[in-house]
Structures are given as structure tokens and as C-alpha cells.
Amino acid sequence: MIDYISSFISPMGALVVSFVVFLVLRMPLAFAIAIASVLFFVIDGRSSFIIPVQKMVLASQNPALLAVPFFVLAGNLMNAAGITQRLIAFCSTLTAHLVGGLAHVTVLLSAIMGGVSGSAVADVAMQSKILGPAMLKRKYSKGFVAASIGLSGLITATIPPSIGLILYGFVGEVSIGRLFLAGIVPGLLMTLFLMITVSIVANKRGYLREQEQRTPISKVCETFIQCFWALLFPVLLIVTIRFGVFTPSEAGSFAVFYAFFIGMFVYKELTYDKIVEVLNQTVVDNAVIMLIISFSGIFGFIIVDNQIPQYLSQEILGITNHKYFLLIVILGFLALVGMFMEATVNVLLLTPIFLPIVQSVGVDPVHFGILMMTIVTLGGMTPPVGVAMFTACSILDCPTKNYIKESVPFLLAIFALILVLVFFPGLVLFIPNLAYG
């Protein structure tokens, strides 16, 4: 029967078709990848079924992946350690005099929380629960609230410690330290572009300021001191990795100790019950990530063994070998795929395919990593299956159509920034080049 089926369907065709069908049926991505990959071996009939098992196990055995569960745990600990309210107070003092002050808080808070949680969805969920109701009370439209919170979560894609950058560095064999440093300027520029967008929309609609005058410097300093230890975390992280004090995995374990110490002995808000809750959530988060990584190992083997990167490279370079045009074409494809699959999956599956292609025309792998993470993470904030989008809309009880309508100005700002980063790679690379040479 298998021989009969294989005479009509190629193994690669079976993999692609079954994977697309599983996505349409809303099957969890990890299992869609696994079943489609195993089906390839069933149709192929030439390889031992030991290979999928070996590749699945090997994919989870790389020591570099130790950084992922550590940083996930550290982020969950710091979210439970009482830092959120302190960070909100600090951001509010900086933006209260601006029109649409609370919307500015969401953007600025995402930039800071990105360095703490490293997760866009966690950031969106937290802000939707805490800042969302306050913004609605001040007569902000639901669509604007959901869009400003949902799309500001994109900042976490590049601000260290981004889990996506760790996975990209692991798959593409790119320095995680350089990636962390490269993400700083794009993250800050994203914050600036989104805050400008908030100002334009807020002024047009006549949203009110929280206060007429700038917050006194003494008050700003007071709130800064209250959240100093939280703000110090990403700085310590980058410095220790750059100067070789810690490897990325060791930095992750240090992050866990740091988060536990600050929450337990400095802020004194990390109770036994909160620790149990954090551990439960971390187990779930890591299980999902590691399951996807393990199953992607089978998929990755199929891609490499069938020389898909080489084939696509020849086809794409046959169309154009112009560096910037090629980058835009690939980023456009990633944006399309990102609308249907999670960022983690896209990084694991597509990095081995596209990284060799862009490197062949002289694109720096660090530069491409920042662009790729920004684009694939954006897919989580856009229809039809954006997890962050649905998280914000469900918590705020906002119709998706209102979110989509209000997200247009933010998307225009984001795409404008991406084009700037594409054509001016020095904005991405000058800090890692300055630090590493």
C-alpha cells in the first residue's frame, strides 16, 4: 500500500501538503511538524525510522539550549516579584505630560519589560490586564487600546533577553552575545517609532494628558530607585556575556538566581505560593518550546538531507542577487508565513533555509537575525492567527475588526522602521562591532 501511494505522491510533497492541511485543521504546531515529518519517512521508504527518533532527541541535547528554560524561568520570577507596578509607576512619571499618556506607558513599558520577560505574549497579557482597564476608563477606544498594547509587544523581539534571538543563534550558529547587543538600537528605535505613532493618533483624537506639567525630576528619581534592580537586569546580562563572565546558558542560570534574590529579599513580594505558581507556568512554557524544538529536529534533517537550502538558493539567486532586493523578498515571505505560524517555529524551520542564502550575497547573519525576529514576531500581532492579537482582544473584549482597523498606523510605522534597518545595517551592527571588534 505504501509503495502504491508513493508512486503517486513524492515524500516532500506529502510533507508539505500534510503540514498545510494540519495547519488548516488547527492542529498544534508541534504535532503538525512531527506527523508531517514522519509521513515523509513513511512515503520515502528508504530511511530507517530510527532516524526521526535520533534527530528528535539530538535536537534537544545541545547545551546552548539550556539558556531557554533558564530565561523563561527568570522572566516568570521577575513578573511575580513585584516589579510590574514599580515599572508602570516609573514609565508614567516619564510620559504623564504627553497627549495619550497611558498609551505611551504601554510602549515604554514593553521596552523595559522586554528586557525582563523576553516574551511578547506575556508582555501583552500583563499590560492588557493592568493598563487596559485604566485606558478604557479614560475613554480610549477599545481598538486603539488593544492595538497599542498588542503591537508594542513587538519590541520584545529584539530587546535582550529575547528567547527568539537565543533560538536563532542556536540554529544559525550565530553569537548570542552579538545578537543581544545588536537588538538594542532596533528595540529603542521601535519604541520611538511607536511612541510617535501614539502621539499622532492621540493628538488627532483629542486624548487627554495625565498631567499638564512634566513630572519633577525628584519624583522621576524616586520611581527610578524603586525599580532600579529590575532595570539593572538586562544591563548585567549584556555586560556579563560580552566580557566572558558567563556563557549565555550560565547567564540564564544567573538570571534565575538574580530574579529570585530580588523578589525574595529586596522587593520581598515573592512568596511560596507565587514560587509554586511560577514553577508550574515555567514547566508548561518550557514543555511547549522544547517539544517544538525536538520535532523541528526531524524537519530540519529532512530539509538539509534533501538539499532544500541549496535548491532554493539557486532558484532565488537566479531571479536576483541584489542584496537589498533579496532581503526584502525574503522578509516579505517571512511576513506572510508569520501570519500563520508562531515565531518560534518559523525561526527553527526557516533559519537553516534562508540564512545561507542571505550570507551568500553578503548580508551579516546578525543583521538578518534582527530583521527576521522582528518580522516573524510581528505575525503574532496580526490576523489570522496572531496569538498576541487574540490575547489582547480577548482580555479587553475587543472585536478583532476594531483591532485590525486601529493597528494600521502602527503597522505603517513598523514597516517604515524595518526598511530603515534593511538599508542601514550599521544601525544594527555598530554596537556589536564596537564591543566585539
Side-chain angles (χ1 to χ4, degrees):
M1 176 62 73
I2 292 175
D3 292 337
Y4 178 76
I5 295 174
S6 63
S7 65
F8 291 96
I9 305 175
S10 70
M12 188 58 66
L15 184 150
V16 174
V17 172
S18 60
F19 183 61
V20 171
V21 170
F22 294 148
L23 287 181
V24 172
L25 296 175
R26 299 295 182 91
M27 179 181 287
L29 277 169
F31 296 105
I33 294 169
I35 297 173
S37 299
V38 170
L39 188 59
F40 172 91
F41 286 95
V42 172
I43 301 297
D44 184 49
R46 295 175 299 172
S47 303
S48 169
F49 280 101
I50 296 176
I51 292 178
V53 178
Q54 289 177 332
K55 298 304 176 183
M56 185 176 70
V57 173
L58 286 173
S60 63
Q61 299 301 305
N62 193 305
L65 288 178
L66 284 172
V68 175
F70 280 136
F71 279 119
V72 171
L73 175 56
N76 288 337
L77 278 172
M78 297 197 78
N79 284 336
I83 67 169
T84 301
Q85 294 296 339
R86 292 175 172 84
L87 291 176
I88 290 175
F90 175 61
C91 294
S92 296
T93 60
L94 296 176
T95 63
H97 64 286
L98 300 175
V99 175
L102 279 181
H104 288 290
V105 172
T106 66
V107 178
L108 194 57
L109 187 62
S110 290
I112 298 175
M113 288 297 293
V116 175
S117 70
S119 168
V121 176
D123 177 67
V124 169
M126 179 274 298
Q127 293 205 41
S128 297
K129 293 175 183 176
I130 297 176
L131 284 174
M135 294 174 71
L136 293 175
K137 285 181 181 179
R138 287 163 174 77
K139 307 301 181 183
Y140 292 74
S141 71
K142 276 189 178 181
F144 178 75
V145 174
S148 60
I149 291 176
L151 288 161
S152 66
L154 183 61
I155 300 171
T156 65
T158 60
I159 292 286
S162 165
I163 301 300
L165 288 181
I166 295 173
L167 294 177
Y168 173 84
F170 156 68
V171 176
E173 298 182 353
V174 181
S175 166
I176 294 174
R178 294 183 75 94
L179 287 168
F180 278 1
L181 287 172
I184 295 174
V185 171
L188 294 176
L189 287 175
M190 183 72 71
T191 303
L192 177 63
F193 274 54
L194 292 180
M195 290 184 74
I196 291 172
T197 305
V198 166
S199 293
I200 293 172
V201 175
N203 276 290
K204 184 177 179 181
R205 297 184 181 178
Y207 291 145
L208 300 177
R209 295 177 171 85
E210 296 299 306
Q211 61 190 41
E212 291 300 321
Q213 303 296 326
R214 289 179 180 271
T215 305
I217 296 297
S218 59
K219 180 66 175 177
V220 174
C221 292
E222 180 184 338
T223 56
F224 174 80
I225 292 172
Q226 290 175 356
C227 58
F228 170 77
W229 296 107
L231 297 172
L232 183 64
F233 170 64
V235 178
L236 285 175
L237 187 67
I238 293 171
V239 170
T240 53
I241 292 176
R242 164 59 189 93
F243 290 102
V245 179
F246 298 130
T247 65
S249 299
E250 292 168 344
S253 60
F254 165 75
V256 172
F257 171 79
Y258 182 88
F260 177 81
F261 182 85
I262 297 301
M264 185 67 73
F265 300 107
V266 179
Y267 293 152
K268 299 180 181 179
E269 295 188 25
L270 196 60
T271 63
Y272 173 78
D273 290 339
K274 285 185 177 180
I275 292 175
V276 172
E277 183 180 345
V278 162
L279 291 175
N280 287 334
Q281 183 61 47
T282 301
V283 168
V284 174
D285 292 342
N286 283 318
V288 172
I289 294 173
M290 295 309 296
L291 195 63
I292 293 174
I293 290 173
S294 295
F295 290 154
S296 296
I298 312 173
F299 194 91
F301 169 77
I302 294 172
I303 289 173
V304 173
D305 189 57
N306 287 269
Q307 298 186 326
I308 300 300
Q310 292 89 333
Y311 172 76
L312 286 177
S313 178
Q314 291 175 358
E315 292 297 317
I316 293 175
L317 293 176
I319 300 172
T320 179
N321 59 2
H322 188 279
K323 180 167 79 170
Y324 294 117
F325 182 71
L326 186 66
L327 255 182
I328 291 173
V329 170
I330 291 176
L331 292 176
F333 176 80
L334 291 174
L336 180 63
V337 174
M339 295 171 66
F340 298 93
M341 294 197 302
E342 294 176 3
T344 300
V345 178
N346 286 325
V347 170
L348 293 170
L349 299 187
L350 300 180
T351 298
I353 295 176
F354 289 117
L355 182 57
I357 297 175
V358 297
Q359 284 184 290
S360 69
V361 294
V363 176
D364 190 284
V366 173
H367 181 211
F368 180 68
I370 299 300
L371 294 172
M372 181 177 184
M373 274 314 306
T374 302
I375 285 290
V376 298
T377 305
L378 179 61
M381 289 112 189
T382 56
V385 293
V387 177
M389 176 187 70
F390 286 122
T391 299
C393 289
S394 62
I395 292 174
L396 296 168
D397 192 26
C398 172
T400 306
K401 63 179 182 180
N402 293 356
Y403 173 97
I404 295 171
K405 179 182 177 182
E406 297 279 10
S407 66
V408 172
F410 294 98
L411 291 174
L412 291 175
I414 290 167
F415 288 130
L417 174 59
I418 289 172
L419 287 176
V420 169
L421 296 179
V422 166
F423 290 105
F424 298 95
L427 291 172
V428 178
L429 298 174
F430 87 91
I431 292 183
N433 287 344
L434 187 66
Y436 284 89

